[in-house]
Structures are given as structure tokens and as C-alpha cells.
Amino acid sequence: MELSHILDNLNDSQRQAVSAPPSNLLVLAGAGSGKTRVLVHRIAWLVQHEGYHPNSILSVTFTNKAAAEMKGRIEELMHTSTAGMWVGTFHSIANRLLRRHWKEAGIAQDFRIIDSDDQLRLIKRVYAELEVDEGKWPYKQAQWFINGQKDEGRRAGHIQAPELDLYLRNMQRIYLAYEQACERGGILDFAELLLRAHELWLNNPDLLHHYQQRFRHILVDEFQDTNTIQYAWLRVLAGDAVPMTIVGDDDQSIYGWRGAKIENIQKFKKDFKDPSMIKLEQNYRSTKRILDSANQLIAHNPDRLGKNLWTEGELGDPISLYAAYNEHDEARFIVDRIEEWASQGNSRIDAAILYRSNAQSRVLEEALVRASVPYRIYGGHRFYDRLEIKNALAYLRLLSNRDDDAAMDRVINTPTRGIGGKTLDILRQHANEQNISLWAAAKDLLSSNSLTGRARTTLGGFFDLIQQLSADTAGCDLYEQVDHVIQSSGLLEHHAKEKGEAGQARVENLKELVNAAKQFETGTMPLSALQDQDPDLELSPLSQFLDQAALDAGDLQADESHDYVRLMTLHSAKGLEFPLVFLSGMEEGLFPSRMSNEEPDRLHEERRLCYVGITRAMQKLYMSYAEVRRLYGSETYNKVSRFIRELPQEHLEELRPKASLSIPVSSKPSQLSAKNNVEIPDTGITLGQNVRHKLFGDGVVTNYEGKGDQARVQINFENEGSKWLVVGYAKLEAI
Ligand code: ATP
Ligand code: MG
């Protein structure tokens, strides 16, 4: 058979990996070196050269999208259909097995998979049943605990809780009751899929044997991000019977916070029989400057397995670094660059804006909307579509209009306040019969004394809460209104109790909403929705704000354009590549995140995340940071991210708006002050003047642009190096 097409367009090491004998193989390689490409070609090789049936190959990818792409690429290469092939994520493959073998797995035939919101709802029911105090043991804590245990392969019965360990004893009790509730309801959560699939092997040796015969080769992409139960599932399935090809990059392990074990790569070498190892060191994705920068960054991490990535590609453009005044300036800069890129005949779809934290997307989205640039959020929701934001907006809508039924429906029991399903039924029925709003119906029922004790108290509580919020915020500024509502409604506290990054992100988003309201009101943010507002309509700031949020959320969603920019978190960018990449928010405290400050391991994971970000770029990379940033509701002056300082300076190019006057920053401050007395218009500051900044200490003014409070001055600080600051914010003191 003519097989050259499978080995064409591969380098020697890739070819060696693709055509290696079908025994255990580890491909350890850096970003963009063709790992995923090798997996695809190896599958084609196994089928066409080794004669394996396509259905005898099991290939595990990280996302469903990656699985679809892999199938597409295999079909292209082999000119055959991949229908029936086992290519998917761990979860989708586990589901497929359990659907077939529900009996052996001891689960209901028509089991239902629940997502994390449903899971939380179920946990709440368990709390009620056990009479556990939510105040003491937040629901989210139990959810986090249960999923964590499952990821480690532990059932409630396996946990050894010492008598005195109240926390563990309680969690175990909840876990146990939760397990029973799932069993009764025929329900499987995500972690359970994996756990059951693992137990399916352990409890059914015949079935395991059957699959060990059936699968002749297992391939796994992004192996560095497998967790304990995934590894165990593979280990049992493969046994000594099925050889595996795994590809991974220890430098791209970014899910440690969710239980991924980077050590699984090393474990593989020990646990599996005679694995051979191939390193791929040639990168095909990025320019030399981008690659060298990524290499130098990641070299700051200890304990790496070590590899040396190089490219034959061209040197390419320098990495452009933009120091924005603030987050709006940063967003504007990025949008301008994208439009410039598009005007040169490039596609917007080739551009991606990456950020560390979900909340950063709001300002970027606004700038894109304003410039009418189509965009999509990849692997996440738009800011105004996010659950917590919708909840907060629903409270605000209800304050603005009590008859907004959709809003009332949304928040009447969010956060839970014990209004039972029956009470809600009565309420809805009454509203229907009388043809009045839910709010009016509630008022009716409460005043007519037709509700029983508990229903009356809980519904009355909600009714009073809304009235109280309304009274409290009358006459307040819009942002104060928003702030008060997210606090007093209990939403903020509700999300703050959630453990892990998800809860944290929701809290941050809520605070960001306060921020949005503030900027809305002060008019620092020109708004798309308001540009064609009827000047004769006297809408309250709140109504205007709500309109804008609704338009932002709905309008562009329906955008049919196929040429859109993609926005995503660094985590969701894994495995992808784009000709043009923006890494925004390169500031200490944001990236690396504040939480990683104290823990070296977390800092190393942040650095890997930055490595992932840089290596997504093929041709051109922009990095940006804001000297002042409002995020999560407060204003911060952050230092530029240490990750920027760790890059080779010769590949960096600092972008500045054209300055009116330039003085070399390398000159000694004292010499400068003697030489210059150019006054910066309307600021009372002169070039060469010695100044003191609260945070950065003493320095000398070396350059400026603009005038008055809006002017930016460049200051060469004794200890902090050179910085551009906005006069209005910087509060400089002459010394
Ligand atoms: P990541 O670590 O980001 O997942 P990867 O190692 O999986 O990256 P691929 O996505 O497989 O890398 O490949 C990166 C890019 O290089 C792709 O565009 C791919 O088509 C290209 N590429 C890989 N190998 C070769 C080759 N031998 N010749 C030409 N292009 C190649
Ligand atoms: Mg890949």
C-alpha cells in the first residue's frame, strides 16, 4: 500500500513517532512541535500500515471540539469515514461505555447526566434532608469536596474520618446521602461518569478483557492534564494488553488547581511496560522571536523535564508591548490593531484576545461593540450573559419595574430563601387567574392572608426585601444602587461561599458590574446603546443601564458574521493557534494572579499558563498592561507582570503613542534635572523635575505627552525603572 502520504510533511522525529512499533510510546514535546499532528498521523499509520480496524483505536482528546477536528483530519488523511471510531474526551468515552453497559455498571438504563448547577441543586436537597446547616458548611464546599473525592477515585464509604474531624465527618455524611440520592434518581454527575467507568473495569473482569481485546491501541493528547481517576482508568484498561501512545508537555500543565497531575507523565514511564520516548524539538508554529521568548520565560521554572525548542522559521516581528493608561486604553489599542490587521486584507478570525480572568472580557467586549467589530467568546459566556450577572440584573430590573415577571421568576429563590415549589405554584396560578404580574399576585396573596405560615413568611420575606432595597437605594448613584443590591440581596455572599475559581470568578464579575455602573454614570464609557437614545425620553440611569446591558447581551449574539475575533481565557486557548495574538492584562496581581504570590507551585503554574499563551501566536504577538486598572470594583496600580521582565528584552518592542519630546531614560536623574526646564502644559510639572510617587518612590520626569490632568508623564524611578503615568491619577509630589 502507498503510505508515503502519511509520512510526508513530517520531520524525522515525527516520522519516527508516527511509525514506531505499536508498543508503549511517550512523545514529550514543547508547544507547536506537532504533537497533535503526530497523533493523527499515527492513527492513520496504525490503520493503513498495521492493518488495524479504525474501530479498534481509542483516542482521547481534551475537548469535544478537538475530537471533531481530529476525526476531520483523519478522514482527510485516510479518505475513509471515521464513523464508529472511539475518539472523544474522557467524559464522552465514559458515557459511551456506560450507555452500553449500564447493567454491569449497576446504574439505571436511562441514567441522566447532570451539570454542575443541577448537582448543586441536588446537594441542597440533601442538606434539607439531613438538616445540615448551610451557614456552617456551604453547599459549594460539599460540591467541591464530592467532586474532589471522585476525581481521586474515592467513594463516601472509602473515607476514613476520625471521630474528632468534624469537617470530614460532615462531608462524608453529605457525600453518602448524595450518592444515595443519585442512585435513587438514576443520576450521574461529570465526576461520576469517570468513577463509574473505572469501577466498570474493576468489577467486571470479563468486560475489561473484552475491551482489552477490542482496543488495540490507545492514544492520549494533552496527557499532562490528566487527573488521578483518568490515569487509573487508562491504567486498568491498558493493563499489559493494550499499548498506549501518549503525547504531552509538562510545561503546559495548567489544570493543577482542578486535580490534574503533571506527575502522570513520569508515572507512565514507570507503570507501563518498556515505554520508548521521543522528543520533538522543532516548532512549526511560531516565529523565532516568539519561540525564543517563550523558551526563556519557561526556563524560570524549576523541575522541568527539559527540552529545547527551535524553529527554522523566520525571525519575525518583535513582540510589541503596550503600556496602556488604563483598561479602556488597552481595549482601544487592541481593537485598533485588529482593525488595522483586517484593513490589510487579513481575517479577523485569525486574531485572538487572551486574558487571565473572565471579568477582563467586559471592557474588551465594550470596545469591540463600540467599533462594531464582531467577536465571539470561546468556551465561556459573554459578560452580560453570565449567570451571576443575569441574576444581579434581574434584581435591578425588579427594582425598576415590579411587574417584570421574568426577573422575578429568576430571583425569587436565588439565593435560596426557602420559598417552596408549592408556594411558587400557588403564586403562578393566582397570577394567571387574575391576569396580573407575579409581583401583584404576591402582594394580593400576602394581604389576603390566604397563605399558610411558612409560605407566608418566606414569600413575605422576599417581598419585603425588594421593597427595602428599593427604599434603601432611592436617590443613590447608580453604582451605589448596584453595589447595595448585590450585597443586600445575598448574591455576593452566595457566590463568595463557593469554593474554587468558579466562585471567585463570579464574585469578581459581580464587582465588575459595580464598576460598569460607575463608568456608565460618569460617562467615561461611551455607550453603544445610548448613542441613538431619544433625548426626550427621560429614563432613569438605572433603566438606561439595563437597556444597555440587554442590548450588549442580545444584539450581537445574533451576529451572523463569519469573520469574528475570538476572546478567551488562557485556559481555553490550550492546543489552539492563531496568526495574531493579544495577551492582555500583563500585570502583577492579575497575571500572575494575586493568589499565586505566596505559593511557588501556583506561580509556576501561572508561568506555564503564560507559556501556553505566548506559544499560541504564529506571526505576531502583542502584550499589554494597564498602569491603572479598575477590576473587580477597585482601582489598582499594578506593576508590570514579572513574566514580561523574564522575556528576552531584545525581542521586545515598547509601543508608545508618539511623544512630543524625548530624553534618553538611561541618563542619570541628577544630570537631567539640571538640563531641563520645559514645562508640561497645565500640570505645574517640568521635565527633569524630581518627584515622589506613593507607590513607586522617587524618580525624575523624563518625557510627557498631552496636557493637564490627562497628560502622561514618563518617570524614571530610582528603584522601579521607567514608567508612564497619568498626571491626574498619579498624585505626584515635587521633591
Ligand atoms: P500544542 O502543544 O500547542 O498542543 P502541538 O505540539 O500539538 O501544539 P500541533 O498543533 O500538532 O502542535 O502543530 C503545530 C503547528 O505546526 C500546526 O499548524 C501544524 O500543522 C504544524 N506542523 C507540525 N508539524 C509540521 C511539519 N512537519 N511540517 C509543517 N508543519 C507542521
Ligand atoms: Mg496539541
Side-chain angles (χ1 to χ4, degrees), residues 157-177:
H158 297 151
I159 297 168
Q160 308 273 346
E163 185 108 8
L164 289 176
D165 192 336
L166 260 183
Y167 167 76
L168 205 55
R169 285 176 67 85
N170 251 300
M171 288 299 138
Q172 182 182 28
R173 194 162 72 98
I174 295 163
Y175 185 9
L176 197 66

Side-chain angles (χ1 to χ4, degrees), residues 418-519:
I419 302 179
K422 251 205 203 127
T423 315
L424 289 176
D425 285 347
I426 295 172
L427 184 66
R428 289 199 186 100
Q429 200 184 347
H430 188 70
N432 271 343
E433 281 168 1
Q434 304 293 314
N435 203 15
I436 50 178
S437 68
L438 288 172
W439 180 263
K443 195 171 175 183
D444 239 342
L445 291 174
L446 288 167
S447 60
S448 69
N449 262 336
S450 51
L451 290 172
T452 54
R454 184 172 160 74
R456 205 189 143 67
T457 326
T458 52
L459 187 62
F462 176 71
F463 193 88
D464 292 345
L465 170 71
I466 298 298
Q467 297 291 61
Q468 188 64 46
L469 287 177
S470 184
D472 287 347
T473 57
C476 285
D477 283 341
L478 175 63
Y479 81 91
E480 289 170 333
Q481 229 168 334
V482 177
D483 195 13
H484 186 74
V485 165
I486 61 171
Q487 303 216 31
S488 304
S489 63
L491 274 183
L492 202 63
E493 198 193 347
H494 171 70
H495 291 301
K497 276 191 207 146
E498 296 179 25
K499 256 206 143 180
E501 291 228 345
Q504 165 106 7
R506 290 195 199 279
V507 169
E508 290 168 356
N509 282 332
L510 283 173
K511 292 189 176 163
E512 187 59 19
L513 185 67
V514 179
N515 218 4
K518 198 173 221 163
Q519 289 165 347

